[in-house]
Amino acid sequence: DEAGTLQGPEVLACPRYGFPVAVHGDTIALGKGFCQGGVAALPEQVHIFHYEGSQWVERARLEAPNTTTASSFGASVSFDGDRLLVGAPWAQNDLGGAAHVFRRGGADWKHLATLTPAVGQPDIFFWRSSVLKGEWAFVGATVADTTGAVYVFRQNGILWSQSAKLIASDAVSDQRFGWSVRAAQDTLVVGATTFGGQGEGFPGSAYMFARQGSSWIEAAKLVPPDGISYDSFGHGVAVNGSLIAVGAPATFWQDVSNAGMAYVFQIPPRNCNENDAPDLCDVRDGRATDCNHDDVPDECTLTDGTTPDCNHSGVPDECETLPPFDYDFDGGV
């Protein structure tokens, strides 16, 4: 049953209130969509609603700090618990855009961080795709005549820094990799669509990345099993557990004869040590050690080169290091 209607303020330019939208529990965040070219809208805000009793009540309006209008703040929104990631693709014009992290404390929202691409890596943060999961933030950037990319940021304490810029292994111009982005646990799915069937020689696809230590490695490329081309495959993606869904809305958006469809893929269990047993089973059955409890055998965690093993013991240094002892004045421990 319909639980209510959320009504936004009057917006004279770029009237796209409610696109996009993010939901977490009893909280809804509504943006206003992407205004190409930085069309001014007054003001640029993300509206926060809470469900109270039997109705939705607006409780906050978030704004980007130290920015002017025409940044398309609110072009994408993504919840992770009490945190919210907000995209602003025109925040720096052609310098790469920005994304903002907010956190709710009680009834108030606090701005925590502004995420921007590393120097020398400009791409406009596109309006559709941003996702926040734990210590990771992913922001898709798709610009015409480029391959597209997904920027990966990682949190360390109160600081965020870019840890990677992902592109497809078979990247081609105008691929629009990063048009859609979703993440769950240690899996990242990135859509590369044909933009409503208008792509030149590119049928659309989706890519699955798996986390290995602090790196994200391309693990699979997903394509329509029926071989249909130019159906906007990759326009939307979703991942939950071992299932990935990829949307293909239509061959042409104007073609009402094509109803579109969605494809569901099953993620096979990981077997990083190639012993014909899933990694999770290796760990839980005691066949492999997993000192950092990430459900990946230590021997595999070390192969990505980001986890130190100075004594070449096959166990991450962090797991072999003992905590400091507390000594008393009698010489005992």
Side-chain angles (χ1 to χ4, degrees):
D1 295 336
E2 180 179 334
T5 301
L6 308 185
Q7 181 64 45
E10 180 182 3
V11 181
L12 300 180
C14 192
R16 296 179 178 176
Y17 179 77
F19 178 61
V21 59
V23 182
H24 174 70
D26 60 356
T27 305
I28 294 178
L30 297 178
K32 66 170 182 57
F34 177 70
C35 297
Q36 187 159 1
V39 177
L42 299 176
E44 292 193 329
Q45 299 172 326
V46 170
H47 299 253
I48 305 296
F49 289 82
H50 292 275
Y51 193 68
E52 301 176 4
S54 60
Q55 60 182 345
W56 291 93
V57 180
E58 183 178 357
R59 289 303 185 192
R61 295 186 180 184
L62 309 183
E63 297 182 2
N66 304 321
T67 188
T68 61
T69 59
S71 69
S72 285
F73 175 82
S76 61
V77 288
S78 172
F79 272 116
D80 181 48
D82 286 333
R83 298 181 303 163
L84 182 70
L85 181 64
V86 181
W90 288 96
Q92 302 181 78
N93 296 321
D94 59 350
L95 298 180
H100 300 273
V101 182
F102 294 84
R103 187 179 197 121
R104 177 173 59 186
D108 299 323
W109 287 82
K110 180 181 179 181
H111 183 269
L112 298 181
T114 298
L115 311 183
T116 57
V119 176
Q121 296 186 342
D123 275 317
I124 295 175
F125 276 174
F126 200 65
W127 54 293
R128 291 193 59 88
S129 55
S130 65
V131 63
L132 187 63
K133 283 293 180 182
E135 62 185 318
W136 302 94
F138 309 92
V139 183
T142 61
V143 185
D145 301 324
T146 71
T147 62
V150 171
Y151 291 83
V152 182
F153 297 86
R154 191 175 189 180
Q155 183 182 15
N156 182 10
I158 63 172
L159 301 178
W160 288 82
S161 61
Q162 181 182 325
S163 66
K165 177 181 178 180
L166 306 179
I167 62 173
S169 58
D170 57 351
V172 296
S173 179
D174 210 23
Q175 187 176 18
R176 293 181 172 88
F177 176 91
W179 177 274
S180 54
V181 178
R182 287 294 182 268
Q185 296 178 338
D186 293 334
T187 302
L188 172 69
V189 181
V190 180
T193 189
T194 57
F195 196 57
Q198 302 299 325
E200 297 180 1
F202 185 74
S205 58
Y207 297 80
M208 187 187 81
F209 290 79
R211 187 177 72 85
Q212 294 183 6
S214 59
S215 301
W216 292 86
I217 308 300
E218 184 180 322
K221 178 181 179 180
L222 310 179
V223 296
D226 51 18
I228 297 177
S229 297
Y230 313 115
D231 60 354
S232 293
F233 183 89
H235 191 273
V237 295
V239 57
N240 185 13
S242 62
L243 297 179
I244 294 175
V246 182
T251 302
F252 292 96
W253 288 348
Q254 298 86 355
D255 183 5
V256 296
S257 64
N258 189 331
M261 62 188 68
Y263 301 83
V264 180
F265 298 83
Q266 178 81 44
I267 303 174
R270 296 184 189 177
N271 180 26
C272 69
N273 52 14
E274 299 181 354
N275 67 345
D276 296 327
D279 294 343
L280 187 60
C281 295
D282 281 343
V283 171
R284 294 184 178 177
D285 294 345
R287 292 190 296 263
T289 60
D290 177 28
C291 70
N292 53 5
H293 307 292
D294 63 353
D295 291 331
V296 178
D298 293 337
E299 60 182 302
C300 302
T301 303
L302 295 169
T303 58
D304 63 13
T306 60
T307 302
D309 178 24
C310 67
N311 56 1
H312 306 289
S313 65
V315 178
D317 292 345
E318 61 179 321
C319 301
E320 293 186 316
T321 303
L322 295 176
F325 291 110
D326 292 327
Y327 292 89
D328 62 29
F329 290 105
D330 296 327
V333 177

